[in-house]
Amino acid sequence: DTGVSQDPRHKITKRGQNVTFRCDPISEHNRLYWYRQTLGQGPEFLTYFQNEAQLEKSRLLSDRFSAERPKGSFSTLEIQRTEQGDSAMYLCASSPGLAGAKNIQYFGAGTRLSVL
Amino acid sequence: AQSVAQPEDQVNVAEGNPLTVKCTYSVSGNPYLFWYVQYPNRGLQFLLKYITGDNLVKGSYGFEAEFNKSQTSFHLKKPSALVSDSALYFCAVSAVSGGYQKVTFGTGTKLQVIP
């Protein structure tokens, strides 16, 4: 049984460059979430997919951020023209498609982004 | 709007002693509450959840949590702490918002178990 996997684990980039992260959810989970976590804070919601549809986006997700989940399997999160304020841990989580608020979200190990 | 407060940034406890990590919440409707643990450079791991029923919820690694509706609290407890319990603990509240499961996390409490 494989859990949620994220790639890369670490990314160092220069300000202004574009970066892309990948998340592979647990195979039978149709719901996928992206969160951002900064030092001393809990994860903050960025966006949510149900299958291939992106159903919710946080105001934290500026127009430099875009996420996709083609075919409802893996997902990518792209940040264009990175800024130093984008430095954070980006976490992906997946959950089964049960209705309501009772689902456990299963998290990947995260991608730590450092923007120099 | 839903929110979670973890009033302690850090909790220190001696190995073998009982531990408590505090959490209070605010949410409209029925509360669905979770505890997650995070080890360094790792993602969050689910510990336990409260949905309904018994106010004392048992979870992984000997942890339990007590739901108190009148105090809107969901404190995490363990009768005897281990050094390996040292980690960052997050309380979370979940509700349906805009048709999806919205989970709001607290800021986390660092648990340090001293040998």
Side-chain angles (χ1 to χ4, degrees), chain A residues 9 37 101-103 105 108, chain B residues 36 38 41 43 49 94 101:
Chain A
R9 293 292 308 277
Q37 184 181 19
K102 306 175 185 178
N103 295 296
Q105 294 189 5
Chain B
Y36 286 83
Q38 186 176 34
N41 299 313
K49 66 177 179 179
S94 174
Q101 179 186 11

Side-chain angles (χ1 to χ4, degrees), chain A residues 9 33 35 37 40-43 45 48 56 91 95 100-105 107-109 112, chain B residues 32 34 36 38 41-44 46 49 51 88 90 94-96 98 100-101 103 105-107:
Chain A
R9 293 292 308 277
Y33 305 80
Y35 291 87
Q37 184 181 19
Q41 298 295 320
F45 169 78
Y48 158 67
E56 185 73 18
L91 295 167
S95 74
K102 306 175 185 178
N103 295 296
I104 298 167
Q105 294 189 5
F107 284 80
R112 182 170 297 283
Chain B
Y32 300 121
F34 297 77
Y36 286 83
Q38 186 176 34
N41 299 313
R42 303 285 297 276
L44 279 67
F46 169 76
K49 66 177 179 179
I51 302 300
L88 194 53
F90 290 96
S94 174
V96 174
Y100 80 101
Q101 179 186 11
V103 179
F105 291 87
T107 52

Side-chain angles (χ1 to χ4, degrees), chain A residues 4-75:
Chain A
V4 178
S5 117
Q6 292 189 245
D7 184 70
R9 293 292 308 277
H10 304 276
K11 179 70 177 179
I12 301 173
T13 190
K14 293 182 179 178
R15 185 165 49 94
Q17 298 294 305
N18 299 343
V19 294
T20 299
F21 310 141
R22 176 178 170 126
C23 170
D24 287 272
I26 294 172
S27 59
E28 62 268 26
H29 288 179
N30 66 352
R31 298 184 179 189
L32 186 147
Y33 305 80
W34 284 99
Y35 291 87
R36 182 171 68 189
Q37 184 181 19
T38 53
L39 197 63
Q41 298 295 320
E44 296 174 293
F45 169 78
L46 291 179
T47 190
Y48 158 67
F49 289 85
Q50 185 164 320
N51 299 311
E52 66 276 7
Q54 187 176 20
L55 297 184
E56 185 73 18
K57 291 193 293 186
S58 163
R59 286 172 291 178
L60 292 175
L61 213 66
S62 75
D63 56 6
R64 297 184 297 104
F65 288 69
S66 62
E68 295 182 340
R69 193 184 181 195
K71 303 178 183 178
S73 56
F74 72 92
S75 175

